[in-house]
């Protein structure tokens, strides 16, 4: 669908990644306030990803609202001697419906690899959850002209265990690492070019129908000031939001993006 209007079946996703912010009580209060401000959400899916410690209370606070709750990470085994890890089985038991996988900070600080990302994507899908699989290049790779090389490696590797028919349940988040938390956002044209490449790689790996159904988000200093322009691009199906998801007012504005 690159260069054309967005596939109607691709409902936009706005996901807020809180990272290591907000206690359980703070998160529950935030979600209650957010749900009240948003009311009934139509035409888009809203996801909030608190820290592990806040997931249970977040699920309770979101009950009866249009908000879905995601985890910020997951382990690929169902159970076992894996100190400190949390399985997709445990997340599903809490009522969590999605999980972020392979975020750049997990890759950078905690040795996530394309192989472990693929295992996590598989585990999340197997338990009926929605994976939000992150891909993207860092500043050094971008300056060296390696963006295409990075994406053509990460995308098919991460989708290695995904069936084509399951791509409608998958989100991929393109995060130019050089834009995360820096205030330097990729221009809509740059984001569109990279995300069109991601969609192309999905098609190469799993076929055209899979490429048309997978939802691809942009993540990297998303704000109320740039969301409308980003969402006007044909291949951008939503946003993975960091800092701007920590304030109700700014996140509501992002959820309420307007396109021509």
């Amino acid at each position: 669908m690159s260069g054309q209007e967005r596939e109607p079946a691709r409902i936009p996703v706005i996901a807020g990644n809180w990272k290591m912010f907000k206690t359980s009580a703070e998160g529950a209060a935030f979600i209650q306030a957010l749900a009240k401000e948003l009311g009934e959400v139509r035409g888009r899916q809203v996801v909030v990803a608190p820290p592990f410690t806040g997931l249970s209370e977040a699920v309770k606070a979101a009950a009866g609202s249009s908000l879905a709750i995601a985890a910020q990470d997951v382990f690929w085994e169902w159970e076992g001697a894996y100190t400190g890890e949390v399985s997709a089985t445990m997340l599903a038991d809490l009522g969590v419906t999605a999980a972020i996988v392979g975020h750049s900070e997990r890759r950078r600080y905690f040795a996530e690899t394309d192989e472990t990302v693929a295992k996590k994507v598989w585990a999340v899908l197997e338990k009926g959850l929605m994976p939000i699989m992150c891909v993207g290049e860092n500043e050094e790779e971008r300056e060296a002209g390696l963006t295409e090389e990075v994406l053509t490696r990460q995308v098919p590797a991460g989708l290695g265990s995904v069936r084509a028919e399951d791509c409608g349940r998958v989100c991929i988040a393109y995060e130019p690492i050089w834009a995360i938390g820096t205030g330097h956002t990729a221009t809509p044209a740059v984001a569109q070019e990279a995300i069109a490449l991601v969609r192309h790689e999905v098609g190469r790996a799993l076929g055209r129908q899979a490429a048309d159904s997978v939802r691809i988000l942009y993540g990297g200093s998303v704000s109320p000031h740039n969301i409308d322009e980003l969402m006007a691009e044909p291949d951008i199906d939503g946003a993975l939001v960091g800092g701007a998801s920590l304030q109700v007012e700014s996140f509501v504005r992002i959820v309420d993006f307007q396109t021509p």
Side-chain angles (χ1 to χ4, degrees), residues 27-28 30-36 39 46 48 54-69 94-97:
F30 181 98
I31 287 170
Q32 290 171 345
L34 179 63
K36 182 178 180 180
V46 184
V48 178
L55 287 175
S56 180
E57 291 303 314
V59 169
K60 294 175 185 176
S65 75
S66 300
L67 303 179
I69 303 300
L94 282 181
V96 170
T97 58

Side-chain angles (χ1 to χ4, degrees), residues 7 37 66 84 87 96-97 114 116-117 149 179 182 200 202 214 223 228 241-243 255 260:
E7 175 69 33
E37 286 293 318
S66 300
S87 72
V96 170
T97 58
D114 294 339
T116 60
V117 168
E149 181 178 320
T182 64
H200 175 74
V202 175
V214 70
S223 76
D228 294 346
V241 187
V255 170

Side-chain angles (χ1 to χ4, degrees), residues 12-18 27 30-31 34-35 38-39 41 44-50 54-55 57-72 91 94-100 128-130 132 171 215 251 255:
V13 176
I14 304 296
N17 177 17
W18 289 355
F30 181 98
I31 287 170
L34 179 63
L38 288 175
V41 178
R44 57 210 65 184
Q45 184 176 359
V46 184
V47 181
V48 178
L55 287 175
E57 291 303 314
V59 169
K60 294 175 185 176
S65 75
S66 300
L67 303 179
I69 303 300
Q72 296 178 19
L91 296 178
L94 282 181
V96 170
T97 58
I100 299 171
L129 310 181
M130 178 179 75
I132 302 174
C171 285
R215 290 178 290 179
F251 194 51
V255 170

Side-chain angles (χ1 to χ4, degrees), residues 13 33 36 44 53 56 70 110 140 154 158 165 167 232 252:
V13 176
K36 182 178 180 180
R44 57 210 65 184
T53 55
S56 180
F110 304 104
E140 292 76 16
Q154 290 181 340
E165 58 268 28
C167 265
V252 166

